[in-house]
Amino acid sequence: MSAVSNKVATSRRPHARKSHDMFSKIVKLSPRFLLILLILPVLGGLISVLLPAFGYAPALDQTTFGWQGFTMLWQTPGLVNMAMLSIGTGLISTLLAFIITLMILAAFFNSPWLNRIQRLLSPILVIPHAAAAIAVGFLIAPSGMISRIISPWLSGWELAPNGLFPHDSFGISIILGLTLKELPFLLLMALGVLAQPELGKKLRQQHKVALNLGYCPMTAFFKVILPSLYPLLRLPILAVLAYASASVEMPLILGPNTPPTLAVAIMHWFNDVDLNLRIKASAGALLQLALTGGLLALWLSGEKAIKVLFSDSLTNGVREYGGFYWQKLTIILTALVIGFILLSLIALILWSVAGFWRFPDALPEQFTLLHFNSALMQMSNPLFNTLAIGLVTTVFAITVTLLCLESEQLSDKPISRFTSLIIYLPLLVPSIAFLFGLVWIQQWVNNQAAFFNVVFTHLLLVLPYVFLSLASSYRRLDPRFARVAASLGAAPCKVFFKVKLPQLFAPILIAAALGLAISFGQYLPTLLAGGGRIATITTEAVTLANGASRRTSAVYAIMQMALPLIGFILAWVLPKYFFKSARA
């Protein structure tokens, strides 16, 4: 028997070695594959936008380079207003979200209230932008919840007033929606940085020393913590600014229509039945790219200006800048933000189950599930597409991320700064710019593979978030487990699957939930890459938000929120269940 077993083992060894060699090759090539996967579509998309903008579009029988696209663009009525609306809403919303984030951190640093605020705001991350816009619209509309709540104190207010919001020409509604959506993201990114063991411990000790020297808590934060914290928040802030300046979902639902923001106008031109308008859309996409690049440069220049202007204040020894009043203002502002978000969600839920609801009643006269029943009957195809696209995209993103991080450990070399920057590339380049070019390429290569095209475009936006979610957990793995397994003769392939992945079960589920949430909320990539043939919950929700029944819109918005929420609940529950079973 021993001889037979030795022969079998000997016969299996070449196959095992081949599989191990294959795994090692795949792992070594994964960082290059990641760079190619992110660089080529973005740069290819930008080039494919650049050529039609200058008149070269063989598909439209345009083969002569010129300024046709820009000429058509400059002749567009209200172009300056579109550009200014995009600049103003993007910059102001990012600035407000950043300032409120700093005020909350400064007022509640080293306080248990900071964790409570984090728990309250964390669920907002799973809400797609379209659903958040619909919820905000239900709150600030002339017959929205705010008007219904204050109407008893306003005599003679029996009819809905002629309100400014939403769709105001100044973009205030867009600023409000973007600020409320991006604030939790920036706050959680900052808390994630402070959660790093060495850095967090060091900063908290410095904060305590400053307090002992007589600095008020908020002054201590801005003088001691912020200079070390901000460099680690720069990329997330720039990503928020790039998204806000070229957002489509929020302005489409909350913004004005005459004229809209530049990104919304570009989308309309690209989807117009007159295909010649695609040349104009390409020129507009380059203009949007220039505007976003200008905003990023302006933000970076502002950093340097503030550093020069306020460098002396860091060492002037002043310990108090009205910190007591700023702290009280921050508490009021935080309560208003949380209250506004909760009231928006309550309004969304009420509209989804409302029967007859006359103004100015604060609550519907009757409740019904009829809207849910009718919507669910029509939702099967969009729901299937949403889940299928999200699952395929997320599984592929997690696989590529794990292989790249494993390559980093096997080579014992951290990922270069260039690679780290490339991972952020799809977030820093406005999607409205490179997606149009990417769609040109996809239609040229294979116009019929709509599902694959949508999955690929989703992957470009999901992969950066999945990588950032998994990277810290993978890099914190105790290397001694892998060394012990390797010393016992385990191949790298076996160490990866048997030792490392079980330890990463919970982080992988969290990354999967985040990837699904990002995919579920994609509107523009689905609309463009699918050519309108792939309907998802998000595309249907945005369509219904413009002119359909409020009740049906509310149902779709709730479904948008429910899908990622279920993913995060499973990511929280499953590790506890499996670890409990393993211990038993």
Side-chain angles (χ1 to χ4, degrees), residues 101-316:
T101 297
L102 293 185
M103 292 176 68
I104 292 175
L105 289 171
F108 301 104
F109 193 77
N110 274 342
S111 166
W113 277 101
L114 190 58
N115 291 329
R116 294 167 187 165
I117 294 171
Q118 178 187 0
R119 293 192 198 100
L120 286 172
L121 294 180
S122 294
I124 307 303
L125 285 178
V126 308
I127 301 178
H129 284 81
I134 293 172
V136 171
F138 285 168
L139 190 62
I140 64 176
S143 59
M145 283 299 295
I146 292 180
S147 296
R148 293 173 182 273
I149 291 174
I150 66 176
S151 60
W153 288 274
L154 298 174
S155 58
W157 206 356
E158 293 295 328
L159 298 175
N162 295 322
L164 178 66
F165 308 112
H167 311 302
D168 61 286
S169 59
F170 301 103
I172 298 175
S173 302
I174 305 174
I175 293 172
L176 179 62
L178 287 172
T179 302
L180 293 175
K181 188 68 180 69
E182 305 302 347
L183 169 62
F185 173 73
L186 291 180
L187 181 62
L188 293 178
M189 291 298 292
L191 293 175
V193 171
L194 294 173
Q196 298 178 13
E198 294 183 4
L199 179 62
K201 183 178 179 181
K202 175 185 173 182
L203 293 179
R204 285 180 172 83
Q205 288 176 346
Q206 292 177 349
H207 190 261
K208 289 180 181 178
V209 170
L211 294 180
N212 292 333
L213 291 175
Y215 286 85
C216 79
M218 296 195 75
T219 304
F221 175 85
F222 282 101
K223 288 195 174 187
V224 176
I225 306 299
L226 185 58
S228 300
L229 177 64
Y230 181 79
L232 301 175
L233 290 179
R234 181 180 287 112
L235 279 177
I237 292 170
L238 294 179
V240 167
L241 179 59
Y243 175 82
S245 65
S247 173
V248 171
E249 296 94 327
M250 285 276 185
L252 195 60
I253 297 173
L254 296 175
N257 297 317
T258 52
T261 61
L262 181 59
V264 173
I266 295 170
M267 185 197 69
H268 289 323
W269 296 334
F270 193 85
N271 288 325
D272 198 279
V273 293
D274 184 1
L275 296 181
N276 288 315
L277 284 179
R278 289 196 173 190
I279 297 177
K280 178 180 177 180
S282 297
L286 290 183
L287 176 60
Q288 179 65 67
L289 182 64
L291 292 179
T292 301
L295 282 176
L296 297 180
L298 178 64
W299 188 278
L300 295 174
S301 302
E303 287 180 11
K304 296 180 179 179
I306 290 174
K307 186 176 180 180
V308 171
L309 292 174
F310 293 94
S311 58
D312 293 337
S313 63
L314 295 176
T315 56
N316 60 9

Side-chain angles (χ1 to χ4, degrees), residues 19-21 23-24 406 410 490-499:
S19 62
H20 299 331
D21 292 341
F23 176 77
S24 299
E406 176 65 8
L410 290 181
C493 176
K494 202 168 186 179
V495 173
F496 177 75
F497 286 103
K498 299 288 187 179
V499 177

Side-chain angles (χ1 to χ4, degrees), residues 541-565:
V542 174
T543 302
L544 292 170
N546 293 308
S549 166
R550 280 189 180 182
R551 294 159 176 82
T552 307
S553 299
V555 172
Y556 272 84
I558 288 176
M559 286 299 297
Q560 271 193 291
M561 293 187 292
L563 291 177
L565 184 61

Side-chain angles (χ1 to χ4, degrees), residues 426-427 431 434-435 457-465 518 522 525:
L427 305 182
S431 58
F434 74 86
L435 279 180
T457 53
H458 279 217
L459 180 64
L460 297 177
L461 301 171
V462 169
L463 186 56
Y465 288 101
I518 299 298
Q522 295 302 320

